[in-house]
């Protein structure tokens, strides 16, 4: 069996035609989501890193104050307790995590891993900060969690470092895959 070369002559399209705009749209369907999540998480990380009030143990707008305020309403108060052991360290971890997730997602480097990181950040924020939102759909962290899942499953197939590396490996091995 030869790999990398199609031997069938039938078109995969039901109408017998070639690719049209719908096929192109399907191929690139996750790209707007990837750009939105990447830019949003980069912005969120930079916003936290440049906000001295946020990166404080206490005070208005601080991560410490936020964690103390959501402790009793969190679905998993143990996560809040963990953050309260070192609020500033936790704030930096979230900020740098969002930055890494955003950059990885935007450029498509280790895209599935970056999306998993984004999903985990969104999940932890949903279980703590936005858990008490009533009705539940007022909290945005659940929506972000759901938005990350397609990227966890599909990765970044187009316009990504991952795709370029995959193509380069395919050229070296002689097994061209598109």
């Amino acid at each position: 069996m030869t790999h990398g070369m199609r031997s069938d002559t039938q078109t995969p399209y039901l109408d017998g035609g070639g690719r049209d705009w719908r096929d192109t749209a399907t191929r690139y369907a996750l790209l707007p989501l990837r750009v939105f999540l990447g830019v949003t998480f980069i912005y969120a990380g930079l916003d936290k890193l440049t906000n001295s009030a946020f990166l404080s143990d206490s005070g208005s707008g601080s991560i410490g104050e936020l964690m103390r305020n959501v402790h009793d309403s969190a679905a998993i108060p143990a996560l809040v307790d963990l953050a309260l052991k070192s609020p500033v360290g936790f704030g930096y971890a979230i900020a740098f995590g969002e930055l890494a997730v955003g950059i990885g997602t935007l450029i498509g480097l280790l895209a599935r891993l970056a999306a998993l990181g984004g999903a985990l950040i969104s999940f932890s924020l949903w279980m703590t900060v936005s858990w008490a939102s009533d009705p539940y759909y007022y909290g945005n962290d659940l929506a972000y969690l759901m938005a990350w899942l397609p990227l966890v499953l599909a990765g970044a197939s187009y316009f990504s470092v991952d795709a370029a590396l995959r193509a380069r490996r395919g050229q070296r091995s002689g097994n061209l895959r598109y």
Side-chain angles (χ1 to χ4, degrees), residues 71-93:
H71 183 273
D72 294 336
S73 63
I76 307 175
L79 285 177
V80 178
D81 291 335
L82 185 63
L84 283 171
K85 288 184 181 193
S86 176
V88 175
F90 177 72
Y92 276 108

Side-chain angles (χ1 to χ4, degrees), residues 5 51 104 142 148:
M5 198 179 292
N51 184 347
L142 177 59
W148 283 113

Side-chain angles (χ1 to χ4, degrees), residues 48-57 61-63 87-88 90-92 95:
K48 287 174 180 65
L49 289 172
T50 58
N51 184 347
S52 60
F54 177 79
L55 295 171
S56 299
D57 283 332
S62 70
I63 185 66
V88 175
F90 177 72
Y92 276 108

Side-chain angles (χ1 to χ4, degrees), residues 97-115:
E98 287 174 337
L99 198 54
V101 162
I103 291 169
T105 300
L106 190 61
I107 68 172
L109 178 62
L110 302 172
R112 282 190 172 109
L113 183 61

Side-chain angles (χ1 to χ4, degrees), residues 126-176:
W126 177 48
M127 290 286 111
T128 55
V129 177
S130 64
W131 181 255
S133 297
D134 187 29
Y136 75 92
Y137 50 83
Y138 280 175
N140 64 352
D141 296 310
L142 177 59
Y144 278 105
L145 171 61
M146 293 300 118
W148 283 113
L149 295 181
L151 295 178
V152 170
L153 296 172
S157 302
Y158 297 97
F159 301 118
S160 68
V161 174
D162 290 348
L165 293 173
R166 235 181 349 266
R168 189 172 182 157
R169 280 192 304 265
Q171 285 175 344
R172 285 187 183 154
S173 69
N175 183 15
L176 296 176

Side-chain angles (χ1 to χ4, degrees), residues 10-20 22-24 27:
Q10 292 180 325
T11 178
Y13 305 100
L14 295 176
D15 63 0
R19 293 181 183 260
D20 62 3
R22 289 174 293 215
D23 298 316
T24 301
R27 280 199 327 264

